[in-house]
Amino acid sequence: MKASTSVAITAFVLVAGFALCALQFPNIASTRVVANLLTDNAFLGIVAAGMTFVIISGGIDLSVGSVIGFTTVFTALAIERWGIPPLAAFAMVLVLCALFGAAMGTVIHVFELPPFIVTLAGMFLARGVSFLLSTESIPITTPIYSAVSDFAIRLPGGGRLTAIAIAMLVILVLCALLLHLTRFGANVYALGGSRAATALMGIPVGPMTIRIYMLSSVLAGLAGIVFSFYTAAGYSLSAVGVELDTIAAVVIGGTLLTGGQGSVIGTFLGVLIQGMIQTYINFDGTLSSWWTKIATGVLLFVFIALQQGLMALARRSSLKPAGAKLAGAKSPEVKPAGALT
Amino acid sequence: MSDPSAPPATRPSLLDIRGLSKSFGTLKALDGVDFTLGEGEIHALLGENGAGKSTLIKVVTGVFARDAGTVRLAGREIAPRSAKDAVDAGIATVYQEVNLLPNLSVAQNLFLGRQPTRFGVVREGEMKRRARALLFDYGLDIDVGAPLSSYSVAVQHITAIARAVDLSARVLILDEPTASLDRHEVEILFSVMRKLAERGIGIVFVSHFLDQVYEICDRVTVLRNGRLIGARDIADLPRIDLIRMMLGRELAETTHERAASQPDTAREVCVSFKGFGKQGYVAPFDLELRRGEVVGLAGLLGSGRTETARLVFGAERADSGEAKIGGKAIRLNSPRDGAGFGFGYCPEERKTEGIVADLTVRENIVLALQARRGLHRPLSRREQDEIAMRYIRMLDIRPPDPERPIGLLSGGNQQKALLARWLATSPKLLVLDEPTRGIDVGAHAEIIRLVRELCEQGLALLVISSELDEIVTYSNRVVVLRDRAHVEELKGDAVEVSSILAAIAADTAPAHEAAS
């Protein structure tokens, strides 16, 4: 109920914002612009889907930007220098990402460390390894890359739905199904509700944690592959700071940073809002592209405040607020004054 | 009644606990406790704070490992190592704070981890249908798709019970389930409990509401200081006997001598309260605390003893009445105010509200004195050492090492260090809430001796204790509380265990109606 309210607000902001942009620049309302927006943000959408799982489960994954960077470098090297066929290279890099995510999840669970710290370490580690591999940008010239880049579904109105945009949409749909329709998804929400209660209810908390971070890292790896298609290069400095854009998209999409609530569709809307701001700034032409960050920052503030407001409202209207429970525990015999002698 | 721990002949025994022991350090939390629960029996587990109820539950449910003893479930010995083990064995626990997931739907909470699926997809419709059917059995007809947090605590409790029972629980432990429920919700819960008992499930009911115990339970087991006091059929047990089991001490142990009592009027009044109280917390009371006198506060758990102490110290803000020192009304709105007037307060929750576990004994002792002096006049290290050593010697705190983190000391020595903290401020009034709780026998006697000595030195003392013999030993006057009101004040020769018991047990009927 509350979750859908947040998503509805995000959707409203997106539609209203888009309408305002279209009023000023009528050309924005075209399939061409929208399709480009999807292409430009394909990697962000994919990595944000993974982040949605992590944040709903009550964690955070700061390593995703570095994992994207690592993936692009590794893929480029594997294809261009080591002569590995692209598909084999993708498989290798995804396995590495999965192992990396599993390692972070294991450390978080076994040593009971805060995910923030563990994934921060993971962030430095992944970035460091990509620099070890190569400090230069490595162009990828294999024919598959140009073939995939040229592939697109033509939309009415001149838009081109590119392969990587399609990949993002497919991955988002799969993630949404996984989160909302499976036991795994229910467990993710449960973990975010209360780790202790989830364990008491017999859910294997450790394996769940490991799988969630694996999922996030694999999706970051996929995002890295998509990014390498997008730029046709591997570079160890790519996607610096993307973890923060990702978290912003997830939060703007109505997912609670404290966990327990959120949705993939909301995250998708959050990604689109960021893309829309970027598009507006491109159309305007006079604004610095850094205004995207400022607008994102303002939106984040507004959305977090909004969520808090909604939560407070829900708390007031619900029958027995948590506060009353606490008070009850402390003074179990509170009675009407009339009962006192 | 000849063998109090034998189950009634009519009921086959379901849960059978023999000689269960558990120690924490030197403190025996459970000492050879027996407990027998029959099939379809609702069995109250009673005792004051620290009696060992929660330790017993935690051992049975696998949270703590036991030191000795056996637990048999339907004749088979079990040794659960985790809450999940216990659930698998058939013992489910529902705590006062519901251990479910407020953000998930009621249906998901009921079926988490075992949702009906088809090709890996949860069959939402089927799950909701089953959830509705399940809760319907418990007299609930609610939208199971709504998040759990949108329902009252009673519904959450019943959901937790339904989940537990559906996981084939045979023993259901309800730990203070009614503490945050209103009368109507209690009725709903009780009807659920009766229904479950009819199905042969054994229910352990932990509560400190005696009326509810008499209303719902078949048998009662009373623990005190980690020991079994007895198990009885509730129908054969008059209320005063039950209270005596909970509070009294065996007569053989009472070797107390009453403090020589002087007429009250002879002593100088330290602080007086008139119509002092707080709505919904403790009813307005009159209380005079005099120098060189110990006033004991007696009553059952939840009767308003701690609440009174907190009001007196200023830890809680009164909304009626006034407090006077030397005839002048004073402002008593915060612990800071209380400390400013020379009051000291050693709270019941020593570990969480009393000591600062990671600081040393010295730092803990000088805490209140330094707070009173303020930030700008720090005690020099030499002064601190001197104060710490003086009290360590005076109160015989062991080990006599001021630089040891206080968390490493035994309970009795922590309590002495807390006393030292306030004594260092040369207080006029000391409020001690359960000063002997969780302390081994030797230290127990010492604390009592200290209370008396302090009194002789002219301090005014307000002491709370669940041990009536203890209260009788050092109190000049005893205020008896019931249902959050001061109901009687006993003086002089009237201060004895039997009269206190009578005052606590008298006229308990109103509590029943008041709860509605």
Side-chain angles (χ1 to χ4, degrees):
Chain A
M1 190 180 70
K2 275 180 293 175
S4 54
T5 323
S6 310
V7 173
I9 291 169
T10 310
F12 174 77
V13 169
L14 179 64
V15 172
F18 197 77
L20 283 178
C21 293
L23 271 182
Q24 196 175 350
F25 305 109
N27 286 342
I28 282 191
S30 69
T31 54
R32 190 189 299 260
V33 172
V34 173
N36 282 349
L37 197 157
L38 291 180
T39 304
D40 294 342
N41 292 286
F43 78 101
L44 188 63
I46 294 170
V47 72
M51 186 69 85
T52 309
F53 282 81
V54 176
I55 292 182
I56 291 177
S57 80
I60 193 102
D61 188 350
L62 296 180
S63 71
V64 290
S66 300
V67 170
I68 292 175
F70 167 79
T71 307
T72 63
V73 175
F74 185 91
T75 311
L77 279 177
I79 295 172
E80 296 297 320
R81 302 266 166 88
W82 307 333
I84 297 171
L87 283 180
F90 297 158
M92 281 168 66
V93 80
L94 287 181
V95 168
L96 286 178
C97 288
L99 290 176
F100 181 70
M104 288 195 301
T106 309
V107 171
I108 289 167
H109 174 68
V110 174
F111 300 105
E112 292 178 2
L113 290 171
F116 187 95
I117 299 299
V118 175
T119 59
L120 185 68
M123 173 180 119
F124 285 118
L125 205 90
R127 189 65 73 183
V129 171
S130 29
F131 276 112
L132 270 188
L133 288 176
S134 169
T135 49
E136 305 150 32
S137 177
I138 308 151
I140 306 175
T141 52
T142 179
I144 290 185
Y145 264 67
S146 38
V148 169
S149 297
D150 290 342
F151 175 83
I153 297 174
R154 302 224 166 251
L155 300 172
R160 296 173 71 251
L161 195 59
T162 56
I164 58 175
I166 296 169
M168 168 183 70
L169 293 175
V170 169
I171 288 173
L172 281 173
V173 168
L174 290 178
C175 284
L177 293 178
L178 181 65
L179 181 63
H180 299 294
L181 293 183
T182 64
R183 282 188 186 174
F184 178 85
N187 291 350
V188 170
Y189 282 99
L191 275 177
S194 158
R195 219 179 157 74
T198 306
L200 278 178
M201 288 167 84
I203 304 299
V205 170
M208 271 305 296
T209 308
I210 294 169
R211 278 181 219 146
I212 289 168
Y213 284 93
M214 267 175 86
L215 180 69
S216 174
S217 290
V218 167
L219 286 173
L222 278 171
I225 294 171
V226 163
F227 197 77
S228 72
F229 277 104
Y230 183 59
T231 57
Y235 186 31
S236 40
L237 269 177
S238 49
V240 169
V242 159
E243 58 279 346
L244 302 180
D245 294 335
T246 311
I247 294 168
V250 172
V251 171
I252 289 175
T255 298
L256 284 186
L257 259 183
T258 44
Q261 238 179 57
S263 64
V264 173
I265 176 80
T267 298
F268 179 54
L269 297 177
V271 170
L272 290 186
I273 287 180
Q274 287 197 33
M276 180 188 76
I277 298 168
Q278 181 71 54
T279 308
Y280 175 85
I281 285 161
N282 289 345
F283 263 75
D284 184 272
T286 58
L287 290 171
S288 153
S289 78
W290 291 103
W291 277 101
T292 318
K293 303 281 176 200
I294 294 172
T296 308
V298 171
L299 268 182
L300 257 182
F301 266 123
V302 170
F303 272 82
I304 289 171
L306 211 75
Q307 280 178 357
Q308 287 297 326
L310 278 178
M311 297 266 283
L313 217 70
R315 225 176 284 138
R316 211 173 307 153
S317 63
S318 75
L319 285 165
K320 285 258 173 161
K325 229 188 310 176
L326 263 181
K330 249 182 156 177
S331 48
E333 276 194 0
V334 179
K335 284 180 181 156
L340 303 166
T341 36
Chain B
M1 289 275 281
S2 52
D3 178 4
S5 58
T10 48
R11 290 203 181 87
S13 132
L14 183 63
L15 182 69
D16 198 19
I17 297 172
R18 289 279 158 256
L20 203 63
S21 293
K22 171 77 189 170
S23 297
F24 298 102
T26 56
L27 181 72
K28 281 210 151 185
L30 281 180
D31 190 1
V33 169
D34 298 344
F35 181 82
T36 306
L37 176 71
E39 263 177 34
E41 182 180 86
I42 302 179
H43 195 133
L45 181 60
L46 298 181
E48 291 288 281
N49 272 344
K53 290 172 299 186
S54 36
T55 311
L56 179 66
I57 291 175
K58 284 185 171 151
V59 170
V60 171
T61 55
V63 179
F64 294 153
R66 70 189 86 150
D67 295 343
T70 59
V71 178
R72 283 171 189 278
L73 183 67
R76 210 166 46 89
E77 186 155 346
I78 57 166
R81 292 233 209 95
S82 68
K84 189 174 180 307
D85 273 4
V87 170
D88 289 345
I91 300 176
T93 315
V94 175
Y95 295 95
Q96 184 185 337
E97 308 85 30
V98 183
N99 264 313
L100 292 178
L101 301 156
N103 58 325
L104 296 191
S105 71
V106 174
Q108 287 280 17
N109 267 293
L110 284 170
F111 291 105
L112 191 69
R114 54 195 187 105
Q115 300 98 325
T117 58
R118 184 183 287 148
F119 310 122
V121 172
V122 173
R123 297 164 67 197
E124 191 77 22
E126 169 72 8
M127 181 172 77
K128 282 187 186 164
R129 199 185 55 70
R130 284 197 210 169
R132 266 182 77 93
L134 186 61
L135 289 181
F136 206 77
D137 264 2
Y138 292 84
L140 285 188
D141 187 11
I142 57 172
D143 173 15
V144 293
L148 186 73
S149 58
S150 61
Y151 290 107
S152 68
V153 181
V155 171
Q156 298 189 16
H157 267 298
I158 291 171
T159 306
I161 292 173
R163 179 184 165 94
V165 172
D166 200 46
L167 283 164
S168 77
R170 305 165 72 183
V171 173
L172 186 61
I173 300 173
L174 302 177
D175 191 356
E176 296 274 9
T178 57
S180 40
L181 304 187
D182 66 30
R183 184 65 214 169
H184 174 66
E185 293 171 324
V186 169
E187 294 292 350
I188 297 174
L189 184 69
F190 280 5
S191 69
V192 166
M193 285 167 66
R194 288 196 189 98
K195 222 176 271 177
L196 291 174
E198 272 166 30
R199 281 161 53 179
I201 291 172
I203 299 176
V204 179
F205 180 68
V206 180
S207 177
H208 60 266
F209 297 100
L210 294 191
D211 291 309
Q212 293 180 357
V213 168
Y214 273 94
E215 186 181 340
I216 187 87
C217 295
D218 304 308
R219 270 175 80 76
V220 48
T221 291
V222 178
L223 301 181
R224 200 168 67 226
N225 293 331
R227 274 196 291 271
L228 174 71
I229 300 305
R232 303 267 195 284
D233 282 336
I234 200 89
D236 308 339
L237 185 65
R239 189 179 293 255
I240 188 155
D241 289 353
L242 176 58
I243 294 173
R244 182 175 295 127
M245 285 170 79
M246 290 166 69
L247 298 185
R249 181 177 274 198
E250 287 76 5
L251 284 173
E253 286 182 52
T254 50
T255 52
H256 68 263
E257 42 193 294
R258 292 272 300 118
S261 63
Q262 311 162 23
D264 323 317
T265 43
R267 301 196 188 92
E268 181 192 342
V269 173
C270 169
V271 54
S272 68
F273 300 90
K274 198 147 184 61
F276 210 62
K278 182 177 178 175
Q279 180 118 28
Y281 193 65
V282 72
F285 58 85
D286 297 342
L287 186 64
E288 270 190 352
L289 301 170
R290 300 190 179 88
R291 290 174 57 98
E293 185 190 54
V294 180
V295 175
L297 289 180
L300 290 173
L301 190 66
S303 60
R305 296 172 306 185
T306 298
E307 289 77 1
T308 301
R310 291 177 64 85
L311 278 177
V312 164
F313 181 59
E316 200 75 36
R317 214 167 157 158
D319 59 10
S320 69
E322 56 176 4
K324 282 184 175 175
I325 291 179
K328 272 215 313 257
I330 55 167
R331 217 174 63 109
L332 199 55
N333 290 338
S334 68
R336 207 183 158 78
D337 289 344
F341 294 121
F343 300 173
Y345 174 49
C346 298
E348 177 178 15
E349 297 295 330
R350 192 168 54 228
K351 289 213 164 56
T352 53
E353 296 178 4
I355 61 168
V356 185
D358 295 332
L359 295 189
T360 64
V361 173
R362 168 180 55 83
E363 287 162 327
N364 268 282
I365 288 179
V366 300
L367 205 57
L369 183 59
Q370 182 61 66
R372 171 182 300 181
R373 285 166 59 112
L375 272 179
H376 306 295
R377 296 169 52 215
L379 287 161
S380 73
R381 179 58 190 264
R382 205 170 48 78
E383 284 172 296
Q384 292 186 20
D385 284 336
E386 201 181 277
I387 293 167
M389 273 327 286
R390 175 152 35 111
Y391 286 102
I392 285 173
R393 242 177 272 125
M394 186 169 128
L395 305 180
D396 193 21
I397 296 173
R398 282 181 218 179
D401 173 9
E403 299 310 316
R404 181 176 275 256
I406 196 165
L408 301 180
L409 267 58
S410 73
N413 285 302
Q414 288 178 4
Q415 189 66 56
K416 288 185 195 167
L418 279 185
L419 270 174
R421 176 190 293 173
W422 290 111
L423 293 179
T425 66
S426 3
K428 299 193 186 75
L429 165 70
L430 262 185
V431 181
L432 308 178
D433 194 349
E434 295 281 7
T436 58
R437 154 107 9 107
I439 285 175
D440 57 65
V441 185
H444 193 230
E446 264 185 278
I447 298 277
I448 292 179
R449 183 180 54 78
L450 265 172
V451 166
R452 278 187 171 163
E453 277 179 15
L454 292 172
C455 174
E456 277 160 25
Q457 287 164 22
L459 234 73
L461 285 123
L462 182 65
V463 186
I464 296 174
S465 176
S466 295
E467 306 231 8
L468 293 187
D469 293 273
E470 185 187 308
I471 281 210
V472 167
T473 309
Y474 49 61
S475 300
N476 302 87
R477 279 185 292 147
V478 172
V479 174
V480 178
L481 291 97
R482 196 174 62 227
D483 295 331
R484 300 194 168 250
H486 295 216
V487 293
E488 200 155 335
E489 188 173 319
L490 304 167
K491 291 179 198 170
D493 293 339
V495 177
E496 53 177 34
V497 173
S498 60
S499 49
I500 297 176
L501 276 175
I504 293 175
D507 184 29
T508 37
H512 201 107
E513 288 135 36
S516 57

